Amino acid sequence: MAGLFKRLYDWLLRMFWQTELDITMIGLQNAGKTSLLRVLAGGEFTIDTIPTVGFNMKKVQQGHVTLKCWDLGGQPRFRPMWERYCKGVNAIVFIVDSADQAALPVAREELHLLLEKPSLDGIPLLVLGNKSDLSHHLSVDQLIEVLDLKSVSKREVSCYGISAKEETNLDAVLNWLISRSAR
């Protein structure tokens, strides 16, 4: 009987108090954006994910909040599209491979170029250092330093270390994203 009431309660929440948030997930190729989105949406982590060509979208349901997540390709030819998909969203999620230290200077440059766009002022930024399950990954403090996140202004900035593969810290990511609905 309790299951019936829970389903009825969830249905009422969705019908009358549903909140949908638009989230854009960006980052260089091979950072783990698609793998992270697959895991957040309730799927399995797979090691052989095909690179995103253009974009793809999935909805992630958490209680009364639906996260409509846009996963954009990270190859150089897709980066000019990032601004278009970041305009007017509730949050920008920038994902880096925290174990690929050679790619971090390019990631920093691309992130700062994007954040200079006046159309994106005020949009909260969540930076995720993915692949924290690898032994040579950077810590959150190191990522903040390398990506020069302390210089970012005109928005709230948070940074977490995660592992899509091990599902490490994904509850904190979801909580951070869902908290955008209260604003």
Side-chain angles (χ1 to χ4, degrees):
M1 195 65 156
L4 175 65
F5 286 117
K6 170 98 173 89
R7 285 195 305 264
L8 178 61
Y9 175 74
D10 288 343
W11 178 80
L12 286 171
L13 277 178
R14 284 192 304 275
M15 288 298 292
F16 299 106
W17 296 286
Q18 186 65 29
T19 301
E20 184 170 276
L21 301 177
D22 286 308
I23 309 296
T24 300
M25 302 174 85
I26 56 173
L28 303 184
Q29 66 273 19
N30 301 317
K33 299 175 297 294
T34 303
S35 295
L36 173 62
L37 184 52
R38 182 181 298 123
V39 171
L40 287 176
E44 295 282 317
F45 177 85
T46 56
I47 199 79
D48 56 351
T49 300
I50 298 168
T52 301
V53 175
F55 65 89
N56 102 80
M57 190 276 293
K58 283 191 185 297
K59 290 188 177 189
V60 177
Q61 184 71 41
Q62 281 293 114
H64 70 285
V65 178
T66 300
L67 303 172
K68 189 165 131 186
C69 299
W70 296 91
D71 164 22
L72 303 183
Q75 296 86 347
R77 68 178 192 238
F78 298 122
R79 295 176 198 161
M81 295 188 327
W82 288 359
E83 180 187 5
R84 183 176 350 152
Y85 285 92
C86 289
K87 284 182 188 174
V89 298
N90 298 93
I92 298 168
V93 179
F94 188 75
I95 302 165
V96 297
D97 178 342
S98 65
D100 185 357
Q101 295 182 33
L104 290 172
V106 175
R108 177 184 62 235
E109 181 180 341
E110 292 291 343
L111 175 63
H112 286 272
L113 280 172
L114 180 71
L115 297 179
E116 288 174 2
K117 309 288 186 199
S119 64
L120 305 181
D121 285 355
I123 298 174
L125 172 68
L126 177 60
V127 176
L128 300 177
N130 192 21
K131 305 184 184 180
S132 66
D133 54 297
L134 301 178
S135 61
H136 53 285
H137 76 279
L138 294 183
S139 70
V140 168
D141 289 339
Q142 291 169 317
L143 282 174
I144 290 169
E145 177 83 21
V146 168
L147 296 174
D148 193 22
L149 296 180
K150 289 185 180 175
S151 74
V152 174
S153 60
K154 302 179 186 171
R155 74 192 69 249
E156 173 190 359
V157 179
S158 294
C159 184
Y160 296 125
I162 66 160
S163 169
K165 180 180 180 182
E166 303 286 327
E167 299 187 21
T168 304
N169 231 7
L170 299 190
D171 54 340
V173 170
L174 285 172
N175 288 335
W176 190 93
L177 292 170
I178 289 167
S179 72
R180 299 313 38 74
S181 70
R183 296 169 186 221

